[in-house]
Amino acid sequence: MNRMTLTSPLATLTIVIVATGLGACGQSRSSQATVPANENSSGFVPDTKPLPPVNWLDATVPEGTVLKLSLIDSLNSGSTRKGDPFRTLVTDAILINGVVAVPSGSNVMGEVTEVIPAAQGFKGRGGMLLLEFKRINTPTGASTELKAALKGLTRLRSSAVLAGASDPGAVAAGARGREALLEPNTPLVIVLKEPLRIKVKQ
């Protein structure tokens, strides 16, 4: 009887300690579960610095400057229509005072202003296309109007020739009954008819 009296308080104390420990453990887990996850736990910190300002310089490409181009689109006097746009690519950069004013890869945009099919014929030849060059867009984002005349045409990838000095900008089939055809990648040469004023990104 005495033995039971002595051990009963110890058992009670043990139960109290264990219950207290379990309560603390549950509280610890609960407090950990309520901590919000860090959204930037990956360590990535976004760059909030402002972008440096873009500086643009004014450049003037003189009248008479030669631009070498490569045709992007296909033009055919049998299917092309008056008013159709076409695109060319500048193959050689133009430098002014050591600064690239017209980068290679710029687009010179044009318009077909007259079409004569082979069935009608042009001055005893075949079909004819009259080309006008109107605008240039550079890879740096500059864009401006230009006035230029077609002065050269490589026949390696075409079945047309320059019509002649009396018909500037016109290309015609070399033989009667044939369509004037300019295929993609046909090399063209244009000459500025007036100064080209363009923005240069620094």
Side-chain angles (χ1 to χ4, degrees):
M1 190 69 179
N2 290 337
R3 183 177 300 174
M4 291 181 62
T5 303
L6 289 174
T7 57
S8 178
L10 290 176
T12 303
L13 179 60
T14 302
I15 292 173
V16 171
I17 292 174
V18 171
T20 304
L22 290 175
C25 181
Q27 182 179 2
S28 176
R29 289 179 183 176
S30 176
S31 62
Q32 289 178 0
T34 57
V35 176
N38 188 353
E39 295 181 356
N40 294 325
S41 59
S42 62
F44 172 75
V45 178
D47 186 3
T48 57
K49 295 180 181 178
L51 295 175
V54 176
N55 295 323
W56 293 91
L57 299 178
D58 292 320
T60 300
V61 183
E63 177 183 351
T65 300
V66 172
L67 278 71
K68 295 181 179 180
L69 312 176
S70 178
L71 185 64
I72 296 175
D73 302 301
S74 177
L75 302 175
N76 188 324
S77 60
S79 57
T80 300
R81 296 291 177 259
K82 181 178 179 179
D84 283 354
F86 66 88
R87 302 164 297 163
T88 68
L89 198 68
V90 176
T91 57
D92 295 355
I94 302 297
L95 277 69
I96 302 296
N97 298 325
V99 177
V100 177
V102 179
S104 60
S106 299
N107 287 136
V108 174
M109 319 299 288
E111 181 181 320
V112 179
T113 56
E114 190 64 52
V115 179
I116 297 177
Q120 180 179 345
F122 172 74
K123 294 185 176 181
R125 301 180 182 180
M128 185 274 285
L129 298 162
L130 184 61
L131 309 181
E132 183 178 352
F133 300 86
K134 308 183 75 170
R135 176 167 288 275
I136 184 168
N137 301 321
T138 72
T140 57
S143 179
T144 188
E145 294 181 356
L146 88 164
K147 291 187 178 180
L150 179 63
K151 291 296 183 181
L153 170 64
T154 300
R155 297 183 61 190
L156 295 177
R157 295 185 61 82
S158 69
S159 60
V161 295
L162 292 178
S166 61
D167 299 286
V171 296
R176 186 188 300 270
R178 295 185 60 185
E179 300 291 356
L181 173 63
L182 297 179
E183 297 180 359
N185 301 319
T186 297
L188 307 174
V189 177
I190 62 174
V191 178
L192 295 179
K193 296 193 294 184
E194 62 181 36
L196 172 66
R197 294 175 176 84
I198 193 167
K199 295 288 186 180
V200 178
K201 190 175 183 180
Q202 296 295 299

